Amino acid sequence: MPHVKLHIPGPVEVSEKTFKAFCSPMIGHRGQAFKDLYAKIQPQLQQLLYTKQLVYISTSSAWGVMEGAVRNLVQKKVLNCMCGAFSDKWFDVSKRCGKQAEALQVDWGSPIRAEAIDAKLATGQFDALTVIHNETSTGVMSPLAEIAALKKKYPDVMFIVDAVSSMSAMPIKFDELGIDVLLAGTQKAFALPPGTAVFAASPAALAKAATAKDRGYYFDFVEFQKNAEQSMTPSTPSIGHVFALSSKLDDFFAEGLENRFARHKKTNQMTRDWAAKHGFTLFPDNGFESVTLTCVNNGAKPGGRAVDVAKLQKLTKDQGFLIDGGYGKIKGKTFRISNMGDETEATMGQLFAALDNAMKQV
Ligand SMILES: *Cc1c(COP(=O)(O)O)cnc(C)c1O
């Protein structure tokens, strides 16, 4: 198969170095070699999440932990903040777990704001809140600091945050923001192959989970904590992923987190500039655009131009790059370009050259 480089918002391109680490000789997950490996990456993960809590590794995609958070932490009723395909789905998942759930829906393209959450939480009905920091389907980043500041008024409400497509691309300070659960799937900004998620839970979340009946086993947060204290996971993890994660974390810290954050900002700005150069507008409300992907407006909203997205995608793919053609109900009316992972100004430049070529023919 010819190599088509992924510029979709996950999974993204995986480096040779990461794949090599992934293919390390297998070790037993209850042996010292695995414990040493987990103990080595634990402080790196803690630094990345700005937390003193232990960070867990789940062999699942992000949804496993998203569902797990609901099962562990919702006893009364959960408020699901919804602004796109993934956050909308979380409401559905809450109900499928048999939980009382309420939707706080805003239009796709708009962010979740603290004021709207405040009005809901003030009713006293809720003991948990789910927020997607970077809604990958719409390219909208909700203001996490603003929401975290509001949430401090409601200490008994569990603050569950999906940072699937933003974690590691920008600082998200778990302890300082007062987050109760923070999670990410590693096929997005981490640029690992799909199949694992990392997450942290606050002491309050762990205490609450311990009182939850029917929280199951595979995603039992208390089991994750007990095992992490021994540098282990509750069940056999995807050990290849743990090797790959270790290699990737070394990359992060060799580059330096600040440099990594600045690189994402820069490559994202390049993408926005590319869109503007061709007469497009962006889908997210002004000021709430993601830094890891760009959701280009292609007729979903007034303003800007619109092209045949399927054709643009194909012409770009023929040159070796895959962009995304829009997600869910805005498929074709938007398209998305990812700058997650290892992308640099130089590699993004190659993508834009291919896109420029394609634009001449759409
Ligand atoms: C990709 C994504 C998910 C779902 O991840 P899976 O790996 O498919 O479980 C959830 N939330 C966000 C914001 C995502 O981008």
Side-chain angles (χ1 to χ4, degrees), residues 272-335:
R272 296 184 200 183
D273 292 346
W274 176 85
K277 182 180 94 177
H278 286 281
F280 291 108
T281 57
L282 302 185
F283 183 65
D285 291 357
N286 203 356
F288 298 96
E289 301 89 349
S290 165
V291 295
T292 59
L293 76 136
T294 302
C295 186
V296 179
N297 180 36
N298 191 64
K301 275 184 174 178
R305 71 189 286 191
V307 297
D308 180 341
V309 167
K311 198 167 171 200
L312 174 66
Q313 225 182 353
K314 176 164 190 319
L315 289 165
T316 312
K317 190 175 175 189
D318 289 345
Q319 299 172 78
F321 301 91
L322 187 65
I323 62 162
D324 170 87
Y327 195 102
K329 66 185 183 194
I330 50 174
K331 186 175 161 69
K333 295 189 175 122
T334 56
F335 60 92

Side-chain angles (χ1 to χ4, degrees), residues 9-10 60-64 66 86-87 90 132-137 162-166 183 185-188 194-196 293 336 340:
S60 65
S61 80
W63 272 117
M66 292 164 78
F86 294 105
S87 47
W90 217 344
I132 290 191
H133 175 223
N134 197 57
E135 175 49 77
T136 316
S137 62
D162 163 327
V164 172
S165 57
S166 53
L183 68 107
T186 51
Q187 81 275 26
K188 305 265 168 95
T196 48
L293 76 136
R336 299 177 302 165
M340 288 177 214

Side-chain angles (χ1 to χ4, degrees), residues 79-302:
L79 180 66
N80 297 117
C81 299
M82 295 153 62
C83 62
F86 294 105
S87 47
D88 290 8
K89 180 88 190 164
W90 217 344
F91 176 55
D92 177 42
V93 169
S94 301
K95 289 184 292 184
R96 289 191 198 198
C97 290
K99 303 297 183 182
Q100 293 286 322
E102 190 168 320
L104 196 177
Q105 178 87 65
V106 303
D107 289 340
W108 283 30
S110 295
I112 301 295
R113 301 303 300 265
E115 212 179 355
I117 295 175
D118 196 11
K120 293 280 190 184
L121 295 188
T123 64
Q125 292 176 31
F126 301 96
D127 67 343
L129 167 72
T130 68
V131 175
I132 290 191
H133 175 223
N134 197 57
E135 175 49 77
T136 316
S137 62
T138 60
V140 168
M141 200 149 74
S142 287
L144 200 55
E146 172 190 298
I147 297 167
L150 174 270
K151 221 299 290 169
K152 288 194 170 135
K153 265 173 69 180
Y154 303 96
D156 295 336
V157 177
M158 289 287 125
F159 186 22
I160 305 166
V161 179
D162 163 327
V164 172
S165 57
S166 53
M167 186 190 285
S168 87
M170 58 186 294
I172 302 173
K173 302 189 174 178
F174 182 86
D175 292 350
E176 193 179 305
L177 292 172
I179 298 171
D180 290 299
V181 175
L182 179 67
L183 68 107
T186 51
Q187 81 275 26
K188 305 265 168 95
F190 281 67
L192 296 188
T196 48
V198 299
F199 70 109
S202 68
L206 290 170
K208 187 157 189 204
T211 69
K213 282 184 245 118
D214 303 330
R215 63 184 186 271
Y217 169 69
Y218 195 74
F219 294 109
D220 178 354
F221 290 1
V222 179
E223 287 287 346
F224 273 94
Q225 173 65 20
K226 267 201 278 188
N227 278 277
E229 284 168 6
Q230 321 258 348
S231 297
M232 289 193 295
T233 51
S235 55
T236 317
S238 171
I239 294 169
H241 274 99
V242 186
F243 280 120
L245 178 59
S246 174
S247 164
K248 201 80 226 177
L249 288 163
D250 289 347
D251 295 347
F252 290 2
F253 289 101
E255 180 180 13
L257 290 186
E258 293 303 324
N259 293 335
R260 180 175 169 80
F261 301 153
R263 176 167 59 77
H264 280 86
K265 245 191 202 163
K266 175 72 197 176
T267 51
N268 185 257
Q269 186 58 50
M270 288 171 76
T271 314
R272 296 184 200 183
D273 292 346
W274 176 85
K277 182 180 94 177
H278 286 281
F280 291 108
T281 57
L282 302 185
F283 183 65
D285 291 357
N286 203 356
F288 298 96
E289 301 89 349
S290 165
V291 295
T292 59
L293 76 136
T294 302
C295 186
V296 179
N297 180 36
N298 191 64
K301 275 184 174 178

Side-chain angles (χ1 to χ4, degrees), residues 341-360:
D342 301 328
E343 302 307 332
T344 62
E345 290 176 50
T347 64
M348 293 302 287
Q350 291 159 6
L351 170 69
F352 299 134
L355 282 166
D356 283 343
N357 267 334
M359 284 299 291
K360 286 179 200 145

